[in-house]
């Protein structure tokens, strides 16, 4: 019914002017309480549904969303995020939506602060941010709230910061699931290795910490007798140093046949295993990046857990578009599916499915 009713018709039914109806529909000021109530009663009675798309196009405003992500190498998880975000902007180009990318050094808090201040200085219409530590990220998000700039969080969910929305996996559930899948082939082992890339002896991602917590919870509940050994690869080290560390570890621990890592760098061990022809060791990891996929096909990686990074990047921009441009409500928490990839099904994985 509402699609056939004009603003003029609503004005007549409410006994007010066309201008008053227009101000109510666009939530503009200078309307008396009585007039507003008359119009709203009519809108409710006829179940009026405004054409948000037509209104947004007619408004002819441009929107710039900033994607704040860690610096990274090519063929990385973050690169897929970027591709998805840029694709979403392309799909919404009729609405003059643009996405700009700001990089920061994830291992340097001052770099995060500098780049987020730069982002604020650019007066964004919306922001997608991969957070640093909570206390370092909070001043940035407090400023966004103060300026009424909506923001979406990626990678690590920090509800205290009150983002408009979050996209990512449930990290605890993901780690628990990873342990369950790994133990389908490693239940007879006495020891399992966890590979970590660390800065000053610590992983730099809250998401990886939570995955490990979920993993250890499952292992403690179901396989408490299996020893878990950590191997740290310093982030500042190079490929040759990694090779030396891994060579030394496996030479001293021939009893270990299964490893897991909670980041996207399973290929570091996967390639090492292929180069040294160690066919009795398998690794499980995260993310369908090219280097991981190749190790999966060649058999040095047994499982990969997909995060749908491309979909996350796309969905974050689309969420800002829906909330800012179309003024629609969006879901505050969006957990991505936990999918298990093997060499038998990797070719059927579709990163762009939305």
């Amino acid at each position: 019914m509402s699609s056939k009713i004009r603003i003029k018709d609503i004005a007549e039914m409410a006994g007010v002017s066309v201008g008053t109806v227009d101000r109510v529909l666009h939530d503009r000021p200078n309307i008396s309480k009585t007039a507003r109530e008359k119009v709203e009663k009519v809108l409710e009675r006829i179940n009026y549904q405004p054409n948000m798309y037509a209104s947004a196009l007619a408004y002819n405003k441009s929107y710039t969303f900033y994607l704040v992500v860690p610096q990274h190498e090519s063929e990385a998880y973050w690169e897929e995020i970027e591709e998805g975000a840029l694709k979403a902007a392309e799909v919404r180009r009729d609405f003059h939506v643009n996405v700009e990318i700001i990089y920061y050094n994830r291992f340097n808090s001052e770099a995060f602060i500098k780049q987020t201040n730069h982002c604020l200085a650019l007066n964004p219409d919306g922001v997608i941010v991969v957070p640093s530590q909570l206390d370092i990220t909070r001043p940035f998000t407090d400023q966004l709230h103060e300026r009424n700039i909506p923001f979406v969080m990626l990678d690590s969910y920090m509800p205290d910061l009150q983002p408009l929305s979050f996209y990512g996996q449930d990290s605890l559930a993901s780690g628990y699931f990873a342990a369950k899948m790994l133990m389908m082939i490693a239940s007879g082992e006495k020891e399992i290795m966890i590979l970590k890339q660390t800065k000053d002896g610590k992983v730099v991602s809250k998401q990886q910490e939570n995955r490990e917590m979920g993993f250890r919870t499952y292992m403690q509940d179901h396989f408490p007798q299996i020893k878990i050994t950590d191997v740290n690869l310093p982030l500042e080290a190079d490929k040759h140093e990694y090779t030396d560390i891994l060579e030394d570890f496996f030479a001293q621990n021939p009893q270990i046949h299964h490893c897991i890592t909670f980041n996207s760098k399973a290929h570091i061990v996967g390639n090492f295993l292929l180069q040294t022809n160690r066919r009795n060791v398998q690794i499980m990891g995260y993310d369908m990046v090219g280097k991981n996929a190749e190790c999966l096909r060649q058999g040095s990686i047994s499982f990969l857990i997909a995060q749908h990074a491309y979909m996350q990047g796309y969905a974050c921009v689309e969420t800002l578009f829906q909330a800012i441009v179309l003024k629609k409500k969006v879901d505050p928490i969006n957990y991505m599916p936990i999918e298990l990839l093997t060499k038998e099904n990797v070719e059927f994985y579709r990163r762009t499915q939305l």
Side-chain angles (χ1 to χ4, degrees):
M1 178 180 179
S2 62
S3 61
K4 300 178 182 179
I5 291 183
R6 302 166 299 174
I7 290 180
K8 179 180 178 181
D9 300 322
I10 297 171
E12 290 178 355
M13 285 186 279
V16 298
S17 69
V18 170
T20 297
V21 175
D22 183 74
R23 286 195 291 275
V24 172
L25 291 177
H26 294 90
D27 197 25
R28 296 190 181 111
N30 303 321
I31 311 170
S32 71
K33 181 180 178 182
T34 301
R36 180 181 289 278
E37 288 176 350
K38 286 180 179 180
V39 174
E40 288 176 345
K41 284 181 180 179
V42 172
L43 296 177
E44 184 177 358
R45 186 170 77 246
I46 67 175
N47 190 26
Y48 179 77
Q49 300 292 328
N51 188 335
M52 295 295 191
Y53 283 88
S55 297
L57 283 170
Y59 192 39
N60 201 33
K61 177 178 171 15
S62 61
Y63 304 86
T64 302
F65 303 150
Y66 284 88
L67 173 60
V68 183
V69 294
Q71 293 173 347
H72 56 82
E73 59 188 23
S74 62
E75 291 191 14
Y77 166 73
W78 307 114
E79 189 173 60
E80 296 242 319
I81 295 273
E82 292 172 16
E83 290 178 11
L86 294 172
K87 179 62 178 179
E90 179 186 336
V91 169
R92 296 301 186 182
R93 63 183 178 275
D94 288 348
F95 295 86
H96 310 291
V97 170
N98 183 47
V99 170
E100 299 288 344
I101 302 171
I102 294 176
Y103 298 102
Y104 68 90
N105 184 335
R106 195 166 196 176
F107 319 120
N108 185 324
S109 346
E110 292 180 359
F112 179 84
I113 294 169
K114 178 182 178 181
Q115 291 299 81
T116 51
N117 284 339
H118 174 59
C119 178
L120 290 167
L122 294 169
N123 297 314
D125 295 292
V127 173
I128 303 160
V129 58
V130 177
S132 180
Q133 297 173 358
L134 178 63
D135 59 333
I136 296 169
T137 307
R138 189 187 296 276
F140 175 52
T141 56
D142 283 350
Q143 280 288 307
L144 293 173
H145 283 302
E146 187 176 319
R147 300 186 188 190
N148 294 316
I149 300 171
F151 67 94
V152 177
M153 298 197 99
L154 266 172
D155 189 52
S156 298
Y157 183 39
M158 298 179 179
D160 288 352
L161 302 183
Q162 300 181 322
L164 170 72
S165 189
F166 164 76
Y167 281 89
Q169 284 188 346
D170 182 326
S171 302
L172 285 169
S174 179
Y176 195 91
F177 172 80
K180 188 173 184 177
M181 294 300 101
L182 180 62
M183 297 319 293
M184 292 178 66
I185 60 173
S187 58
E189 299 297 316
K190 294 182 180 180
E191 189 174 355
I192 288 173
M193 181 259 272
I194 293 180
L195 176 75
K196 302 178 184 180
Q197 278 194 299
T198 58
K199 176 73 172 177
D200 300 325
K202 298 179 180 179
V203 296
V204 295
S205 165
K206 188 66 175 176
Q207 183 187 63
Q208 291 177 47
E209 289 181 9
N210 288 339
R211 287 173 182 167
E212 183 176 343
M213 190 182 303
F215 179 88
R216 289 184 181 274
T217 297
Y218 180 89
M219 295 301 291
Q220 183 60 42
D221 290 346
H222 300 279
F223 295 92
Q225 77 282 6
I226 293 182
K227 179 182 177 182
I228 298 176
T229 299
D230 293 351
V231 172
N232 294 336
L233 299 183
L235 280 159
E236 60 272 16
D238 59 26
K239 180 180 178 181
H240 298 294
E241 292 175 276
Y242 288 171
T243 298
D244 290 342
I245 292 170
L246 293 172
E247 183 65 58
D248 184 61
F249 175 79
F250 285 113
Q252 294 186 36
N253 297 275
Q255 77 282 6
I256 291 183
H257 304 110
H258 293 279
C259 318
I260 186 166
T261 183
F262 300 109
N263 61 22
S264 61
K265 299 301 181 67
H267 60 82
I268 292 175
V269 181
N271 284 325
F272 170 82
L273 297 174
L274 291 172
Q275 291 164 9
T276 57
N277 200 31
R278 283 182 167 86
R279 298 294 179 175
N280 63 338
V281 180
Q282 292 279 303
I283 186 166
M284 181 177 185
Y286 279 77
D287 299 329
M288 237 292 287
V289 296
K291 293 177 182 178
N292 282 348
E294 186 56 33
C295 288
L296 190 68
R297 294 185 185 98
Q298 295 194 45
S300 59
I301 291 179
S302 52
F303 298 120
L304 284 175
I305 294 180
Q307 289 194 80
H308 289 282
Y310 182 95
M311 290 173 60
Q312 289 184 55
Y314 189 105
C316 286
V317 172
E318 179 65 15
T319 293
L320 288 177
F321 169 78
Q322 294 289 329
I324 296 170
V325 182
L326 301 186
K327 314 297 184 187
K328 291 186 176 182
K329 291 184 178 179
V330 297
D331 293 330
I333 303 176
N334 303 273
Y335 287 127
M336 305 305 293
I338 301 173
E339 294 190 43
L340 193 69
L341 303 179
T342 69
K343 64 180 179 181
E344 288 77 21
N345 70 352
V346 65
E347 304 304 334
F348 305 108
Y349 175 75
R350 295 290 180 267
R351 70 169 189 160
T352 58
Q353 184 176 353
L354 293 164

